[in-house]
Amino acid sequence: MEAETSWTHYPYNYVPEAETYSEPSDDETKDQTFSMDTLLPDDLLERILSFLPIASIFRAGTVCKRWNEIVSSRRFLWNFSSNNNNSASQRPWYFMFTSTDDPSGYAYDPVIKKWYTFDLPCIETSNWFVASSCGLVCFMDNDCRNKIYVSNPITKQWRRLIEPPGHRSTDYTALSTSMNRAKQSYSVSVVKSKQVQGNFFQWELSIHLYSSETMTWTTSLTDVLTGWRGGDESVIIDNVLYFLIYSTGGNSDHRHGLIASNLSSTSSLMSSFIPMPCSLTCGRLMNLKERLVVVGGIGKHDRPDIIKGIGIWMPQRYFQGFGELDDVFASSGSDDVVYIQSYGSPALLTFDMKLKCWKWSQKCPVSKKFPLQLFTGFCFEPRLEIAP
């Protein structure tokens, strides 16, 4: 049976007539041009935008009026937080001061490994006290220590707190803050330590707490320590205030100690004394996912003020330090990340508590201008939904 397929024969000189083409008029172009996002309903577009890195959210808001309204809405801010709360897509940023005279600096995003020029609200100089929790950053001046601000450095929203009670003139002050995301409330703690006049071994210590729910300060505890003084390091974890104390001599076998003060009770401070694992320098306390972590320089046996390495401790667990250092350093941490920075260099080292690995960050765009220039910094969680 012959195939039914047939062929059409064209003469050798046959050329099919070409379709005519002309440049479209402006009116026709306007009719044919459209944006793909106009096909998407608001809830779907909102869902897509919520997977962007936080730095891209601000750029997305400049695309058009519709996108700006979406990324500025309260619902989007909370959905963005929900998408990123339990993932590695958003990790703590590190802000590095680049001058001792003003609070200018750069913020490092470890997800895309990029530094941003960044301005902080409220703070006037880089030597202010800084504490952070869940997107909020608290600042306190280093002179009178009566200016206290709570802010979101990403949205630039801020609030100044009323002056805390107690002595204005203190020898040592420790600042800490804790954010309750469920209640959208926060607390601020100020631990003041002042030497008893004429007695170097005795120090007055007081704890002052601020509640955003009542917008008031309360003095939760006052005590006199013998052979110990307060310092400038504290952290709040699960309603317990931890702060470092330092030996002033006497019969103590320890140079440093840790106080764990339950904010719901008024028991004696020294009844909750915890000795440090070894002699430390530059000791720092951190709240990493509601776990207390201590970071400090491990002093040499014969010269405890000289650092031979850096150690990271958790209750019941020790993480070995690294390297050989003879300099002081700053450290700060949140989530599962610990940042470590030498005061004499803009280099930034990170330690991942989950992966247990060290990594250097991308090089900061600032360079050292003179030999005695100092660099400090702190870390914070970049969040859009948190307001002071």
Side-chain angles (χ1 to χ4, degrees):
M1 182 175 182
E2 296 183 1
E4 296 180 357
T5 302
S6 59
W7 294 85
T8 301
H9 175 72
Y10 293 102
Y12 69 91
N13 59 350
Y14 174 82
V15 178
E17 184 177 352
E19 295 182 6
T20 58
Y21 174 80
S22 61
E23 292 290 338
S25 64
D26 291 340
D27 293 337
E28 291 175 339
T29 303
K30 291 180 181 178
D31 293 339
Q32 296 174 5
T33 303
F34 63 93
S35 175
M36 288 297 295
D37 74 277
T38 59
L39 303 177
L40 302 176
D42 284 352
D43 57 344
L44 184 55
L45 179 58
E46 178 181 302
R47 179 69 174 169
I48 294 173
L49 294 177
S50 69
F51 287 95
L52 288 174
I54 197 167
S56 301
I57 295 297
F58 296 98
R59 292 195 291 270
T62 64
V63 172
C64 62
K65 181 180 179 181
R66 182 190 180 200
W67 283 30
N68 181 266
E69 291 176 348
I70 288 177
V71 300
S72 301
S73 67
R74 195 67 183 168
R75 185 179 71 172
F76 173 81
L77 297 181
W78 278 102
N79 287 341
F80 177 85
S81 173
S82 299
N83 287 342
N84 292 278
N85 192 42
N86 297 316
S87 68
S89 59
Q90 206 59 62
R91 309 203 76 186
W93 287 14
Y94 187 85
F95 179 86
M96 183 182 296
F97 293 103
T98 57
S99 171
T100 56
D101 300 324
D102 61 75
S104 61
Y106 293 89
Y108 179 67
D109 182 351
V111 175
I112 60 177
K113 300 179 180 179
K114 185 177 181 180
W115 289 90
Y116 302 99
T117 302
F118 203 81
D119 294 322
L120 295 172
C122 312
I123 187 171
E124 297 174 9
T125 62
S126 61
N127 69 342
W128 280 32
F129 295 90
V130 182
S132 66
S133 174
C134 196
L136 282 187
V137 178
C138 188
F139 302 106
M140 180 175 66
D141 74 295
N142 198 20
D143 296 324
C144 298
R145 304 180 185 181
N146 63 342
K147 296 179 182 178
I148 300 181
Y149 299 89
V150 178
S151 70
N152 182 329
I154 295 294
T155 64
K156 309 301 182 186
Q157 293 179 297
W158 60 272
R159 177 192 300 272
R160 180 173 178 177
L161 307 185
I162 59 176
E163 183 176 341
H167 297 288
R168 269 197 181 185
S169 176
T170 58
D171 297 301
Y172 298 94
T173 305
L175 177 71
S176 58
T177 184
S178 178
M179 177 73 190
N180 187 322
R181 292 187 68 241
K183 294 183 178 180
Q184 280 295 284
S185 63
Y186 58 88
S187 59
V188 177
S189 167
V190 175
V191 181
K192 298 184 177 183
S193 182
K194 184 176 178 62
Q195 182 184 349
V196 174
Q197 188 173 2
N199 190 334
F200 179 75
F201 294 101
Q202 288 192 322
W203 291 73
E204 297 177 356
L205 192 142
S206 57
I207 299 175
H208 310 278
L209 298 174
Y210 177 86
S211 170
S212 65
E213 295 179 328
T214 62
M215 301 182 68
T216 58
W217 288 92
T218 58
T219 301
S220 65
L221 187 144
T222 58
D223 203 347
V224 176
L225 303 182
T226 300
W228 296 92
R229 64 164 178 82
D232 58 3
E233 191 65 23
S234 65
V235 67
I236 301 174
I237 302 175
D238 195 23
N239 204 44
V240 176
L241 173 64
Y242 298 90
F243 59 93
L244 290 177
I245 58 176
Y246 303 82
S247 174
T248 58
N251 299 322
S252 176
D253 296 329
H254 304 279
R255 297 180 67 240
H256 314 88
L258 181 67
I259 295 293
S261 177
N262 192 319
L263 297 179
S264 301
S265 66
T266 57
S267 59
S268 171
L269 289 178
M270 296 309 294
S271 64
S272 59
F273 175 84
I274 303 172
M276 286 288 94
C278 67
S279 178
L280 298 178
T281 61
C282 305
R284 298 291 184 268
L285 305 179
M286 303 176 190
N287 180 351
L288 302 189
K289 292 186 175 180
E290 298 304 305
R291 300 170 300 173
L292 174 64
V293 175
V294 180
V295 177
I298 305 173
K300 292 184 176 181
H301 180 70
D302 54 341
R303 300 184 63 187
D305 293 328
I306 300 298
I307 303 173
K308 68 176 182 180
I310 294 177
I312 300 178
W313 290 268
M314 291 176 57
Q316 308 300 322
R317 192 163 188 178
Y318 170 78
F319 291 93
Q320 181 60 43
F322 73 100
E324 176 82 14
L325 298 178
D326 292 321
D327 203 357
V328 292
F329 63 93
S331 59
S332 181
S334 183
D335 193 46
D336 276 323
V337 180
V338 175
Y339 290 100
I340 297 176
Q341 174 194 357
S342 171
Y343 284 139
S345 168
L348 182 64
L349 183 65
T350 65
F351 180 73
D352 190 305
M353 296 286 292
K354 188 175 183 179
L355 301 178
K356 300 179 179 60
C357 65
W358 299 92
K359 286 185 180 180
W360 290 102
S361 72
Q362 293 291 338
K363 185 178 179 181
C364 183
V366 68
S367 58
K368 195 168 184 176
K369 299 178 181 178
F370 51 90
L372 297 181
Q373 183 177 358
L374 299 180
F375 300 90
T376 60
F378 65 92
C379 80
F380 66 94
E381 296 180 45
R383 290 185 176 271
L384 297 172
E385 81 284 6
I386 300 297

